[in-house]
Amino acid sequence: MLGSLLNKNLKTCLIDSNKKIGAKIKVSGGAKCNITNEKVTSDNYLGESIFVQNILNQFSSSDMLTFCKKNGLQTVFNEKLVKGTYFCKSSNDVNSMFAHLNSHNRTFLNTEVLDIEYKNHYIIKTSNQIIEAKKIVIASGAISFRTLGASSIAFDMAEKFSHKVSRLDPALVGFTVQKDQFWFKELSGVSLEVRAKVEHKEFLGGMLFAHKGLTGPIILNSSLYWKKGLMHLDFLPHNDLKPFFKSNKKISSALPLVKRFIVAFLESVNLEDKAISSLNEEEKEKLYLLKHYAFAPAGNFGYTKAEVTKGGILTEQINDETMMSKIQKDMYFIGECLDVTGELGGFNFQFAWSSAFVCAKNLNKTRN
Ligand SMILES: Cc1cc2nc3c(=O)[nH]c(=O)nc-3n(C[C@H](O)[C@H](O)[C@H](O)COP(=O)(O)OP(=O)(O)OC[C@H]3O[C@@H](n4cnc5c(N)ncnc54)[C@H](O)[C@@H]3O)c2cc1C
């Protein structure tokens, strides 16, 4: 991405440990790359909001869509799973676009960066050779999905050059559950539309019961904001329960919920599946748990399943007009390695594109 935004006269090279560029792009969005979102603001991210917004302002989601169009990449608006999302016909098209735009740069693939030293210029020690450079841009992502080439090199090098790295955690990932919610596991395969409330955030969308716990778009988003402790689910986000209490039907038939789910729910709260009109006040209270079910996840599915890593290199030490380190001259950090993590729906790619643009703009200006 960065290479493709650079002036052709600038001598640059790209180093990647993978055999091909864009491993995450390839698998993203079910191989259709959820490239950006219609509305992207700093509210969609964990991170320092002024820093994030300033970078997004310099290369917005509509700039990205224009960039794609200009380079012959067709994007498709599709809100089926998450609001405002833009996909591509195939992730391969995105990688082909970048490969084509990057063709003027030297590319070292299958080359792992092991260490970086600075002696008036950068000495990059790789698994294959030593590469020397005046400037270095670290765009090596974070530590989720090691199978796609992720490594801790950005954090190791940031710390080596006196940067601070905040606590790292898996994010955009499913939740494991505690004993009280083991009944969720019996529902493996069932999906529902729910409203989730976690910390100060609220998400409406699909949730999937999985063998290990909970997953689906609203759970992945909740994992970004969940710290520890309770979160709340509304299993009937579009209905008030009151009108149903007039019905003489059994609870499981009266409520517009998947039968397997409501039967398991009633069992979990020890409520008999009888005529909903016959419920006493105490029983109604139990049923109201459908509207505000509180539970504390046990944890999450971990880095092997997490789409991103939350936390990263502290942004107060990065210049948001250039992406250059404020501590180490000519060293730049962009993308997911920074302490900026977006929600599900194209926000993480958009931050990667925006920060790459800001960096490239500066490199083009300061060419020497
Ligand atoms: C399965 C999955 C699906 C996703 N889907 C979406 C989506 O649809 N929309 C969205 O916005 N986000 C999505 N994301 C998140 C998104 O892919 C990342 O946030 C984004 O790719 C980060 O870009 P980056 O350039 O910072 O890092 P990366 O894309 O991770 O790129 C880092 C590169 O650095 C290389 N590297 C790492 N260490 C070394 C080393 N030591 N030496 C040399 N090279 C190294 C890696 O091989 C990799 O190619 C998804 C993530 C995953 C895992």
Side-chain angles (χ1 to χ4, degrees):
M1 171 66 185
L2 180 77
S4 59
L5 292 165
L6 289 170
N7 185 317
K8 287 199 176 161
N9 298 320
L10 203 66
K11 275 195 187 159
T12 54
C13 79
L14 184 147
I15 309 168
D16 201 303
S17 51
N18 281 326
K19 285 189 191 133
K20 288 183 177 173
I21 63 159
K24 282 196 191 155
I25 291 173
K26 189 169 166 61
V27 300
S28 66
K32 291 192 177 203
C33 185
N34 171 202
I35 201 158
T36 191
N37 197 287
E38 186 182 31
K39 191 163 177 268
V40 183
T41 76
S42 56
D43 286 349
N44 304 108
Y45 296 84
L46 271 187
E48 212 283 291
S49 64
I50 296 174
F51 177 90
V52 176
Q53 193 60 55
N54 196 21
I55 286 163
L56 295 172
N57 288 348
Q58 294 174 70
F59 190 77
S60 65
S61 59
S62 63
D63 291 329
M64 183 58 192
L65 293 171
T66 307
F67 176 87
C68 293
K69 198 171 174 189
K70 193 174 141 206
N71 290 293
L73 181 76
Q74 214 183 323
T75 51
V76 184
F77 188 64
N78 181 345
E79 295 197 287
K80 212 170 152 197
L81 288 178
V82 183
K83 213 170 166 226
T85 46
Y86 278 93
F87 287 79
C88 301
K89 293 228 154 130
S90 157
S91 293
N92 288 336
D93 298 343
V94 183
N95 279 335
S96 303
M97 173 181 81
F98 286 134
H100 174 71
L101 289 166
N102 190 52
S103 55
H104 56 281
N105 294 307
R106 187 138 183 228
T107 303
F108 296 90
L109 293 172
N110 230 344
T111 304
E112 187 183 358
V113 174
L114 304 172
D115 195 12
I116 300 165
E117 281 176 14
Y118 184 74
K119 287 180 185 156
N120 289 323
H121 67 285
Y122 288 98
I123 301 158
I124 305 159
K125 295 184 178 166
T126 77
S127 49
N128 296 333
Q129 69 259 81
I130 288 178
I131 300 166
E132 303 195 29
K134 282 186 187 164
K135 297 172 193 250
I136 185 160
V137 180
I138 300 186
S140 56
I143 54 177
S144 298
F145 263 81
R146 280 190 189 264
T147 47
L148 297 176
S151 83
S152 64
I153 191 77
F155 308 127
D156 300 342
M157 292 305 107
E159 282 177 340
K160 176 172 175 174
F161 288 93
S162 305
H163 276 265
K164 289 202 181 91
V165 177
S166 66
R167 182 197 153 118
L168 305 175
D169 274 303
L172 303 191
V173 64
F175 282 138
T176 52
V177 290
Q178 313 221 29
K179 221 174 172 185
D180 284 352
Q181 280 74 44
F182 275 6
W183 63 277
F184 284 179
K185 295 186 183 189
E186 288 157 28
L187 293 169
S188 181
V190 171
S191 65
L192 296 177
E193 192 183 16
V194 303
R195 178 174 285 114
K197 284 186 193 162
V198 55
E199 301 293 324
H200 63 291
K201 282 276 177 173
E202 225 179 278
F203 299 103
L204 175 70
M207 182 183 87
L208 177 70
F209 291 93
H211 176 60
K212 276 182 163 183
L214 294 176
T215 185
I218 64 114
I219 293 297
L220 299 200
N221 269 333
S222 299
S223 73
L224 184 60
Y225 296 100
W226 180 69
K227 289 176 185 151
K228 258 194 176 140
L230 293 179
M231 63 172 284
H232 293 81
L233 295 176
D234 178 353
F235 293 114
L236 274 170
H238 303 297
N239 300 92
D240 183 4
L241 275 184
K242 237 183 186 170
F244 295 105
F245 291 130
K246 291 183 193 140
S247 168
N248 290 326
K249 286 185 185 165
K250 276 182 162 187
I251 306 171
S252 62
S253 308
L255 297 178
L257 279 162
V258 177
K259 190 108 178 177
R260 244 178 97 196
F261 167 78
I262 186 66
V263 168
F265 170 82
L266 293 175
E267 209 173 300
S268 77
V269 296
N270 204 11
L271 184 60
E272 190 193 332
D273 188 10
K274 57 184 178 182
I276 194 166
S277 56
S278 70
L279 298 182
N280 62 31
E281 285 312 305
E282 197 187 323
E283 289 167 331
K284 280 182 185 168
E285 272 309 300
K286 283 187 179 178
L287 203 59
Y288 264 110
L289 289 176
L290 282 173
K291 296 288 295 170
H292 47 82
Y293 188 84
F295 78 107
N300 60 56
F301 298 174
Y303 286 115
T304 52
K305 301 273 182 209
E307 289 200 3
V308 292
T309 302
K310 67 176 161 182
I313 299 160
L314 291 191
T315 52
E316 63 199 35
Q317 297 166 327
I318 306 293
N319 181 328
D320 57 9
E321 294 294 329
T322 62
M323 305 314 292
M324 190 163 85
S325 160
K326 289 180 185 171
I327 303 171
Q328 177 63 32
K329 188 175 164 264
D330 294 333
M331 177 174 264
Y332 299 76
F333 293 95
I334 58 172
E336 200 187 312
C337 65
L338 292 169
D339 186 10
V340 176
T341 317
E343 293 171 5
L344 190 81
F347 301 102
N348 286 297
F349 276 140
Q350 184 57 47
F351 184 74
W353 316 138
S354 298
S355 56
F357 176 86
V358 172
C359 183
K361 194 175 68 174
N362 176 260
L363 291 176
N364 280 328
K365 241 194 262 166
T366 58
R367 171 181 162 217
N368 54 32

